Amino acid sequence: MVTAELAMGLPLLVALTWVLAWLLSLGVAQVRMVDAARETARAVARGDPVAAAISRGSQVAPAGADLAVRSGQGEVVVTATAQVSGPGGLLGLLPGVRLEATAVAAEEYPP
């Protein structure tokens, strides 16, 4: 009887572990998005060229992330977006998740 219960419950526990690992990877990807947006905003705010700042932010961001920079009125706004797909296997059927992060920095140089 215990063997039958274990045989039924073990796949569920494995699936639950897989889902929790995917959620953890989404959390890590979101933190990387925030860091990329913040790094890019800081670089543009201190006067670095926008292309160089985006390149620096892309090194921090997850693969395939897009960084958009807007500046005006003494501040720099950077929005980072990325589409993160499921982990594969049976969970590959899950839809991808769109992550987004925004960072704002005050310009440190005279315009």
Side-chain angles (χ1 to χ4, degrees):
M1 190 158 139
V2 173
T3 304
E5 291 172 353
L6 183 63
M8 295 298 291
L10 196 57
L12 180 63
L13 290 175
V14 169
L16 181 63
T17 302
W18 195 273
V19 169
L20 291 176
W22 182 56
L23 290 175
L24 180 64
S25 71
L26 286 178
V28 169
Q30 180 64 35
V31 168
R32 290 179 63 195
M33 294 290 290
V34 170
D35 288 345
R38 189 178 315 148
E39 182 72 26
T40 305
R42 238 187 265 144
V44 172
R46 71 174 169 247
D48 292 356
V50 173
I54 289 176
S55 175
R56 179 176 292 172
S58 295
Q59 292 174 355
V60 179
D66 292 321
L67 297 167
V69 178
R70 290 182 293 127
S71 60
Q73 300 179 357
E75 67 181 17
V76 176
V77 180
V78 176
T79 303
T81 57
Q83 185 75 20
V84 178
S85 59
L90 290 176
L91 296 176
L93 301 174
L94 294 173
V97 176
R98 184 172 183 268
L99 300 177
E100 184 173 329
T102 302
V104 180
E107 291 180 344
E108 299 175 4
Y109 63 94

